[in-house]
Amino acid sequence: MVELDVKITSGDLYDFLLRHSYNSVSGLLGAVIGALGVIVGISRQYWIYLILGVVILLYLPWTLYIKSKQQAVNNPVFKEPLHYVLDENGITISQGDSSTCQKWEDCLKAVSTGRSIIVYTAKNNATIFPKSQMQDKTTDVIEMISTHMPPAKVKIRS
């Protein structure tokens, strides 16, 4: 069993949103179109393509940054630390009087970024474990996830 308390910040949310968005078809397509616009704009000196490419490349990260700031401020869940318990049954998340448990078999996938370990509990929802707040429990959290989820669903870099 692993227990830890985590306060999700706007930076943690931004990291999740970036990873989630750029690993979707629309996020990748937007990045490719933006990059092509920049390349064509520079190579053929079509400045409008260059400008449009830069706008397309900067639009998604900027809007995700604004969204993460707004969520951190407006969502009451992110105002207080979350208490996570990882055990044989799954991930239990509690805060104040409320508690919820996500069973391991219901978790869709586990991934990592340079900043976080993310366990998807639904297509667009996840449990975020910021590495900066796990300190010496990072290895235990990774081991618990890897032990209880099928290897094909776990894409965590240490």
Side-chain angles (χ1 to χ4, degrees), residues 42-117:
I42 290 172
S43 66
R44 304 215 178 203
Q45 295 185 349
Y46 293 153
W47 303 116
I48 190 71
Y49 286 139
L50 175 64
I51 293 167
L52 287 174
V54 169
V55 168
I56 291 169
L57 285 174
L58 296 178
Y59 176 77
L60 185 59
W62 177 251
T63 57
L64 293 177
Y65 177 79
I66 298 298
K67 183 178 179 178
S68 66
K69 289 285 190 188
Q70 288 174 341
Q71 278 187 333
V73 169
N74 297 330
N75 193 330
V77 170
F78 302 125
K79 296 207 185 290
E80 299 294 325
L82 297 164
H83 182 72
Y84 292 139
V85 177
L86 291 80
D87 59 19
E88 304 302 316
N89 300 317
I91 303 170
T92 303
I93 306 165
S94 56
Q95 185 180 54
D97 295 337
S98 63
S99 180
T100 184
C101 182
Q102 184 69 37
K103 295 180 181 178
W104 290 116
E105 55 267 15
D106 296 336
C107 293
L108 302 179
K109 64 182 173 180
V111 297
S112 65
T113 67
R115 186 177 176 135
S116 305
I117 295 171

